[in-house]
Amino acid sequence: QVQLVESGGGLVQPGGSLRLACAASGTGFSFAVMGWYRQAPGKQRELVAYISQSGRTNYADSVKGRFTISRDNAKNTVNLEMNSLKVEDTAVYYCNYKYVSEYWGKGTLVTVSS
C-alpha cells in the first residue's frame, strides 16, 4: 500500500510562484512513474507533468516552460515548481503514483487570483 500526501498549495497572485510537494510512503518509489494532475472546477482531471524512473519528464503544453517536476528517490518525494502562475492554473493538484498499481493523493488546492 502506498500513501501520497501533497502539500504547498495556497493562494497566489497571477505571475507568482508556488512549490508543491508530494511525500510517498511504502516501497517501490524509485520504480514508480510519478505525476501531477489537476482538476479545475467543472472540468475533468488532466495531466500536468510526469517524471519517469530515470528522470525523464513530460509536460502539458499549457505549463511547458513555467512548471518543473523533480523527484528525490532517497526521500520518496516528488515536487512541482510552478512559476508565472496564471488564473487558469487554479485547480486542485493531485499527486499520482504508477508502479504495479496506481495511487492518488487527496489533493492540494492552488488558487491564482488577484
Side-chain angles (χ1 to χ4, degrees), residues 20-42:
L20 304 183
C22 172
S25 65
T27 59
F29 180 86
S30 61
F31 299 104
V33 175
M34 298 299 301
W36 285 97
Y37 288 71
R38 67 185 180 187
Q39 187 166 17

Side-chain angles (χ1 to χ4, degrees), residues 1-110:
Q1 189 74 11
V2 172
Q3 290 187 328
L4 304 173
V5 179
E6 302 100 334
S7 61
L11 173 64
V12 63
Q13 292 186 340
S17 298
L18 278 177
R19 181 181 176 91
L20 304 183
C22 172
S25 65
T27 59
F29 180 86
S30 61
F31 299 104
V33 175
M34 298 299 301
W36 285 97
Y37 288 71
R38 67 185 180 187
Q39 187 166 17
K43 294 188 177 181
Q44 289 188 331
R45 191 173 297 189
E46 63 176 2
L47 174 68
V48 175
Y50 72 78
I51 184 166
S52 73
Q53 305 90 326
S54 63
R56 181 172 53 88
T57 59
N58 191 63
Y59 297 91
D61 287 343
S62 59
V63 307
K64 279 181 183 176
R66 300 189 298 122
F67 291 12
T68 303
I69 189 171
S70 60
R71 67 189 297 162
D72 185 334
N73 290 338
K75 296 181 179 179
N76 280 17
T77 58
V78 60
N79 298 315
L80 186 69
E81 186 76 33
M82 305 187 295
N83 298 313
S84 303
L85 282 161
K86 304 176 181 180
V87 171
E88 51 264 42
D89 294 318
T90 295
V92 178
Y93 284 71
Y94 297 91
C95 182
N96 178 266
Y97 169 112
K98 290 188 180 72
Y99 174 63
V100 181
S101 298
E102 183 175 27
Y103 298 92
W104 293 91
K106 293 183 179 180
T108 185
L109 177 62
V110 172

